[in-house]
Amino acid sequence: LDAYLSLGNLYYQQGDNEKAAATYRRAIELNPKLEQHFFDQGKAAFDAEQFVQAIEPFNKFLLLYPEDVDATYLLGHSYEASGDANNALRLYAQTIELDANHKDALMRSAQIYRWQNDPQNALTMLTRLIAIDSSNVEAHYLSGLLHLELNRPDDALAAFLETARLEPNHVDAHYRAALLYEQKGDMDNAVEQYETTIKLDPSKAEPFLRVGAIYQKRGDKENMIRVYEQGLAIEPNHPQTQYDLAVLFEGRGENEKWEGK
């Protein structure tokens, strides 16, 4: 038995996959418990995050069982974690051929395509994923980012709004929707989304300052003061905003209030 395994390994190292597979099958005939031997080796290395070491046993297992979905996906994941994006994409594509509804393979493919500056292929993967899992928040959000990269603001807005609908506390989805509404000139919806953003996460100055500028244009002094004061408390280095508030307080006879800040 050991001789067959060793001989199979030699054939594998020489690149003779056909003879390697035949020899491994002979070893399994002698001991059927070896059927999962290479998969178990690969999975143990994968679980230990030893991804480079996981590649060879998964490859050997797939010589014997080329249509095994789990092994194909885990091999792709191992390649990805080892920095080999092209082989990862190849294995993820095989995974999807074997299981068209494999969500993880679709998502990981989309992420790799995005890293490779291929937003259209990334969107193709996400569209397939959303068709399978319409409540996948990450897929909708990433779709929005990709639509922005492709200069499709209306599609991006729809994706961010769906993200926020599915996950109401998704701060960045609300913020990006606010920016897009503002670009479209839809100030009512922009204000609503900015206000939601600052309510969910009052730690960043930009949303306060942007909605403050809208209130300023509308002449809504009370709300302008409210949001500008909070934004400047976080990030004071905005001279024009400081000046605008100072002028407003001066006009209201409240110089000492602003000077005290």
Side-chain angles (χ1 to χ4, degrees), residues 45-46 49-57 78-79 81-83:
F46 182 90
E49 298 185 356
Q50 297 172 345
F51 301 109
V52 173
Q53 290 83 350
I55 290 172
E56 183 175 304
S78 298
Y79 275 124
S82 302

Side-chain angles (χ1 to χ4, degrees), residues 196-211:
T196 301
T197 301
I198 62 181
K199 180 179 179 181
L200 292 171
D201 180 11
S203 67
K204 296 179 178 63
E206 188 67 17
F208 286 104
L209 300 179
R210 295 195 73 94
V211 74

Side-chain angles (χ1 to χ4, degrees), residues 2 39 56 87 90 113 197 202 231 255:
D2 290 340
F39 182 89
E56 183 175 304
N87 267 321
R90 176 176 61 84
Y113 280 127
T197 301
N255 302 58

Side-chain angles (χ1 to χ4, degrees), residues 92-113:
Y92 290 148
Q94 291 179 18
T95 303
I96 295 164
E97 287 179 10
L98 294 168
D99 178 4
N101 295 331
H102 201 291
K103 299 176 186 179
D104 289 337
L106 288 165
M107 176 57 80
R108 289 190 169 276
S109 295
Q111 291 169 335
I112 293 175
Y113 280 127

Side-chain angles (χ1 to χ4, degrees), residues 238-255:
H238 289 276
Q240 184 61 50
T241 305
Q242 297 271 9
Y243 174 79
D244 291 339
L245 270 181
V247 169
L248 178 59
F249 281 122
E250 182 180 14
R252 295 169 57 156
E254 298 178 1
N255 302 58

